[in-house]
Amino acid sequence: MDVTKLFGTNVFNDEVMRKWLPKDTYKALKKTIDNELHLPPEVADVVANAMKDWAIEKGATHYTHWFQPLTGSTAEKHDSFLSPTAQGGVAMEFSGKQLVKGEPDASSFPSGGLRATFEARGYTAWDCTSPAFLKEDAAGDVTLCIPTAFCSYTSEALDKKTPLLRSMSAVSQQSLRVLRVLGNKTVKKVTANIGAEQEYFLVDKKFFEKRLDLIVAGRTLFGAPAPKGQEMEDHYFGQIKDRVADFMKDLDKELWKLGIAATTKHNEVAPSQFEMAPIFTTANIAADHNQLVMETLQKVAIRRGLVCLLHEKPYARVNGSGKHTNWSLSTSEGANLLEPGKTPHDNAQFLLFICALISAVDRHADIIRRSATNSGNDLRLGGHEAPPAIISIFMGEELTEILEAITQGKKAKSKAFTTLKVGVDTLPALPKDNADRNRTSPFAFTGNKFEFRMVPSSGSISRPCIVLNTIVAEALDDIASRLEKSNNVNKETASIIKDTMKEHGRIIFNGNNYSDEWEKEAEKRGLPNIDSTVKALKSFPGKKSIGLFQKYKVLSKGEVLARYEIYLGQYSKQINIEANAALDMVKSLYIPAVIHYTKELAEGIETLEAVNASADVQRDLLSRISTHLESAYRNAGKLESERESALKITDSLKCSEMFRDKVHVTMTDLREDIDMLETLIPRKLWPVPTYADLLFKL
Ligand code: ADP
Ligand code: MG
């Protein structure tokens, strides 16, 4: 396989545009893309036509405006290029108007009250900064997909792309102001970049299909632990099994065709858990790509008799999945603004951007935390497998020392070019990173980028990226204003660093974030510890949150409030689905199986006693089983009534609190009973595949 030939074959990328577009159209389109301008209609017509011809040559019959509603997944409605001719035949047509704007019925997408149901109109608008691509389905159908933003009749964002693009503009504008005062006149634009490391589980389809919980809720609601978990630490970076290697190869191929630079793949910590990472790219393209990665993972898995689980915690007692989101800013000239260079203490520009991050993250720890929430992540964060629910920044020893030295007015020095001797002569001396890795920090500076490690594996990376871009835009705005007013930029830079460390230095923590001491220390420092989705979402309607997004024109007040309603609703709905699935499994599978066995035991006892044999074991077993069976039966009844009461609550916040504090808690109690029963019932009578089947039989 020649990867260079395969890469991007299904993308209407720069190379394809050069080939298929007349020169002046290409230039006009490039100008639109680079400067975020509106595309003149006559240019759109030419682009549409070329796109269609290219797509048809590759076998496409349909096109779709591909968008990201607030459901968390993507949406598409396919239209064919067919258009009737006067002669009664058909022609393949695609106009500029069709390319630029679509009008899907928006009534079935979440709007959080932004759109009355009678006003069902929604609009999709072409995002020409993310290239169009072709999707092939198993039947061989090819569809031209046009990345679009999705908004209401009144132009309010009903999606994740619109605010992401707005936040990218905001952070670019404010970065430019800082660069300009520092004397950089050439940079035209600053871009936020993302590299998202996607974790996932694979499970054999034949087992998956027998688990209603996995099918409808994406996670196991029951399951006693397998005899083995992850304690041998033998899966992480372990040898990749043939079946999985085949899957990964197929996955890479599909992603490369879509122009997604999938590069890293390895076994993760938990059994049957894996990770893939592409090379980072512009944030909105990375967000589109990550949606495609999640879709392709699932598609390729099914082809191979596997199912890919993207849930944050498919299995209890082994690690769950996250999506480390690496973020940085770069200039139109290609310079990384978070690159310390050889002597970071000298690098005013670098230190100012770092200060922007420190103050942004400290000021808005609550909002960042909120951007990484969903019901699945509640089961993972703080469990010593993922960062705790407290936001802090790992800065590394050297950088922290430099910042502190400047704060104290001392001369700062970088430990330039220390090398790390690995102790084996045949190995070369490695250049020492300016910080060791800290795997426990939720937000770590990793040399020339920040790695946000709290992001849920199934979520869109747009949410955290929108927040990062916006809060950093605000911090840069403050820094730029101070520098612009000052007549001594150097002196002002030093005092900005000093003030930042004084006011926001508490957010830096280089130690072990999993330790109990940190939890206590963080409390002393006044850092918020937000341990659930519902608690985190509460900050949405606050003044600080609305003001921030309004000021940088990322989200209007209405759009912020809509998101609040939607995310609360999603949480409640997810727990409700889980409760439904749990009740279904308990009533139709577990209880009948257990009753069947108790009957068998009772009959056995009777038979044994008839011949005066001892039935002590059977009696003891029966009594233990009956205890758990009764408890399960009681908890199922309780779950049912709590679920019903929760559903009756009309206030979204109170409803989600009831789902968290009652329904979810009872569901966990119910699980304990069933998991105990699993250990007491003969394997052949147990009605669903066990953890050993799900985790160890790939
Ligand atoms: P690790 O697991 O060691 O953190 P990986 O190689 O799995 O590293 O993933 C690192 C991710 O960070 C990749 O997607 C990579 O492209 C991305 N990345 C590297 N440099 C930057 C940068 N400047 N900005 C954003 N992302 C970056
Ligand atoms: Mg990684």
Side-chain angles (χ1 to χ4, degrees):
M1 167 168 59
D2 184 345
V3 182
T4 53
K5 285 216 180 86
L6 186 74
F7 192 79
T9 41
N10 283 348
V11 187
F12 195 73
N13 55 20
D14 198 65
E15 197 186 320
V16 178
M17 285 197 273
R18 273 177 207 272
K19 190 170 149 204
W20 286 80
L21 296 175
K23 231 182 190 154
D24 47 344
T25 310
Y26 171 78
K27 267 197 195 148
L29 180 59
K30 275 300 267 186
K31 205 167 138 195
T32 308
I33 295 172
D34 292 343
N35 304 316
E36 296 166 21
L37 303 169
H38 278 292
L39 192 70
E42 54 299 351
V43 179
D45 270 329
V46 183
V47 177
N49 203 42
M51 235 184 221
K52 176 206 69 185
D53 289 344
W54 167 78
I56 288 175
E57 196 186 90
K58 296 211 157 248
T61 48
H62 288 68
Y63 73 93
T64 181
H65 275 199
W66 184 76
F67 59 102
Q68 293 156 33
L70 291 161
T71 51
S73 43
T74 58
E76 48 193 80
K77 177 185 147 218
H78 298 201
D79 283 303
S80 78
F81 293 121
L82 291 192
S83 156
T85 61
Q87 294 74 32
V90 286
M92 300 294 257
E93 303 280 0
F94 187 47
S95 69
K97 235 164 107 189
Q98 286 168 305
L99 165 66
V100 171
K101 193 169 134 192
E103 210 186 311
D105 181 346
S107 57
S108 297
F109 292 111
S111 80
L114 277 179
R115 171 189 39 68
T117 328
F118 63 85
E119 181 43 273
R121 259 185 294 187
Y123 292 97
T124 47
W126 180 32
D127 167 20
C128 61
T129 61
S130 179
F133 56 91
L134 298 173
K135 243 198 231 182
E136 299 167 321
D137 66 19
D141 281 348
V142 179
T143 304
L144 170 66
C145 298
I146 299 150
T148 52
F150 179 50
C151 61
S152 74
Y153 180 60
T154 47
S155 298
E156 275 147 324
L158 295 173
D159 71 344
K160 301 199 166 152
K161 188 189 266 287
T162 309
L164 177 60
L165 292 171
R166 292 176 185 157
S167 72
M168 288 170 73
S169 273
V171 78
S172 177
Q173 276 172 32
Q174 301 305 331
S175 303
L176 283 178
R177 280 180 61 207
V178 173
L179 295 179
R180 295 275 184 271
V181 228
L182 294 177
N184 189 330
K185 306 277 185 257
T186 49
V187 176
K188 288 188 206 68
K189 192 169 146 182
V190 168
T191 306
N193 300 301
I194 296 276
E197 305 165 40
Q198 179 73 51
E199 290 183 335
Y200 60 93
F201 280 84
L202 290 175
V203 58
D204 196 308
K205 189 159 164 270
K206 69 173 184 282
F207 295 128
F208 171 88
E209 280 170 345
K210 294 198 179 112
R211 298 279 318 212
L212 181 70
D213 46 3
L214 281 179
I215 294 172
V216 302
R219 74 173 178 108
T220 52
L221 298 165
F222 303 100
K228 180 182 174 188
Q230 62 191 40
E231 64 278 36
M232 300 301 281
E233 299 173 333
D234 53 354
H235 195 255
Y236 189 55
F237 283 10
Q239 198 182 28
I240 301 173
K241 284 186 187 164
D242 281 350
R243 188 177 183 192
V244 177
D246 278 349
F247 160 84
M248 287 177 168
K249 189 170 159 196
D250 202 2
L251 174 73
D252 278 344
K253 212 171 101 194
E254 291 303 322
L255 294 176
W256 289 336
K257 281 201 265 179
L258 288 166
I260 299 170
T263 171
T264 307
K265 49 185 177 186
H266 62 80
N267 285 0
E268 258 301 330
V269 171
S272 293
Q273 190 190 27
F274 310 94
E275 181 184 299
M276 72 73 63
I279 296 171
F280 72 96
T281 182
T282 311
N284 75 314
I285 297 177
D288 286 357
H289 280 181
N290 183 251
Q291 293 292 345
L292 288 172
V293 165
M294 292 195 283
E295 192 181 311
T296 310
L297 275 165
Q298 284 164 316
K299 214 159 82 177
V300 173
I302 293 285
R303 268 193 222 155
R304 306 190 151 261
L306 298 164
V307 176
C308 171
L309 305 175
L310 293 169
H311 194 281
E312 290 68 27
K313 193 77 182 174
Y315 306 107
R317 302 177 194 91
V318 294
N319 278 15
S321 300
K323 181 148 48 197
H324 291 180
T325 300
N326 297 271
W327 178 94
S328 69
L329 292 173
S330 64
T331 67
S332 40
E333 270 77 28
N336 179 354
L337 292 170
L338 301 178
E339 181 66 59
K342 286 172 191 157
T343 51
H345 65 281
D346 272 344
N347 192 337
Q349 182 182 299
F350 166 75
L351 290 173
L352 285 172
F353 277 88
I354 290 294
C355 282
L357 267 131
I358 294 172
S359 61
V361 173
D362 185 42
R363 251 189 265 177
H364 300 297
D366 55 341
I367 298 182
I368 299 199
R369 169 69 184 91
R370 182 176 92 195
S371 75
T373 49
N374 68 17
S375 63
N377 233 15
D378 281 5
L379 302 169
R380 193 176 76 95
L381 299 181
H384 288 217
E385 56 169 286
I390 309 160
I391 296 280
S392 64
I393 303 181
F394 170 80
M395 206 46 105
E397 214 182 303
E398 183 183 3
L399 253 182
T400 311
E401 275 172 21
I402 291 170
L403 291 166
E404 276 165 0
I406 297 174
T407 308
Q408 289 152 16
K410 289 191 205 142
K411 210 169 155 45
K413 249 198 329 217
S414 352
K415 295 171 190 152
F417 297 115
T418 357
T419 52
L420 184 78
K421 291 269 186 322
V422 285
V424 181
D425 290 343
T426 50
L427 289 177
L430 299 169
K432 190 173 185 276
D433 274 332
N434 61 12
D436 189 13
R437 290 267 170 162
N438 178 329
R439 292 262 165 214
T440 65
S441 174
F443 201 84
F445 181 67
T446 47
N448 60 3
K449 59 182 162 52
F450 280 90
E451 183 172 354
F452 185 27
R453 304 219 181 91
M454 232 181 220
V455 180
S457 52
S458 69
S460 157
I461 52 171
S462 298
R463 263 178 90 190
C465 190
I466 291 166
V467 168
L468 273 172
N469 293 344
T470 312
I471 62 174
V472 172
E474 182 196 53
L476 290 169
D477 181 2
D478 292 349
I479 290 175
S481 301
R482 282 183 65 171
L483 293 174
E484 281 161 1
K485 269 188 239 133
S486 152
N487 46 20
N488 185 338
V489 169
N490 273 344
K491 221 167 131 196
E492 191 59 22
T493 298
S495 63
I496 289 172
I497 295 171
K498 215 185 244 179
D499 295 346
T500 305
M501 289 303 283
K502 214 159 83 199
E503 282 167 47
H504 305 292
R506 64 174 185 166
I507 198 76
I508 298 174
F509 179 65
N510 295 330
N512 177 7
N513 293 69
Y514 292 180
S515 68
D516 295 337
E517 292 78 54
W518 168 234
E519 207 173 316
K520 283 184 210 126
E521 166 67 20
E523 197 183 337
K524 257 197 250 156
R525 294 190 191 182
L527 298 176
N529 185 351
I530 305 170
D531 61 3
S532 75
T533 292
V534 177
K535 192 169 165 193
L537 294 178
K538 269 187 182 174
S539 68
F540 256 108
K543 238 188 180 160
K544 180 173 82 101
S545 136
I546 292 176
L548 169 78
F549 291 105
Q550 253 178 344
K551 183 165 179 199
Y552 295 94
K553 302 198 166 46
V554 174
L555 291 168
S556 68
K557 181 176 176 185
E559 288 168 338
V560 171
L561 295 177
R563 266 145 232 262
Y564 175 52
E565 283 296 321
I566 290 169
Y567 295 145
L568 281 176
Q570 272 165 2
Y571 175 85
S572 300
K573 283 177 202 160
Q574 180 62 26
I575 305 292
N576 183 44
I577 290 169
E578 291 181 1
N580 277 338
L583 285 166
D584 186 304
M585 290 171 81
V586 167
K587 286 195 276 189
S588 68
L589 294 172
Y590 296 130
I591 290 188
V594 176
I595 287 179
H596 179 85
Y597 185 51
T598 52
K599 193 164 155 256
E600 224 174 72
L601 279 175
E603 284 165 2
I605 293 168
E606 216 174 297
T607 316
L608 288 166
E609 283 179 344
V611 295
N612 280 334
S614 160
D616 289 354
V617 173
Q618 286 81 349
R619 226 175 248 294
D620 181 60
L621 199 52
L622 183 58
S623 132
R624 285 166 62 197
I625 290 174
S626 300
T627 311
H628 293 296
L629 178 63
E630 277 161 27
S631 174
Y633 189 74
R634 252 194 331 268
N635 276 325
K638 192 173 163 209
L639 180 60
E640 195 145 26
S641 72
E642 284 172 348
R643 194 190 71 83
E644 275 162 20
S645 323
L647 285 175
K648 286 196 192 112
I649 303 175
T650 48
D651 179 276
S652 323
L653 177 63
K654 291 210 177 88
C655 172
S656 62
E657 281 171 345
M658 172 102 182
F659 271 106
R660 178 193 61 188
D661 300 336
K662 297 276 185 215
V663 179
H664 186 262
V665 173
T666 307
M667 213 157 58
T668 312
D669 293 344
L670 176 59
R671 175 180 188 145
E672 265 175 44
D673 300 322
I674 300 294
D675 289 0
M676 269 315 288
L677 286 166
E678 187 181 332
T679 65
L680 298 168
I681 305 286
R683 182 64 30 86
K684 69 176 192 323
L685 293 182
W686 198 245
V688 298
T690 62
Y691 264 34
D693 297 326
L694 298 167
L695 284 165
F696 291 100
K697 295 194 183 163
L698 262 191

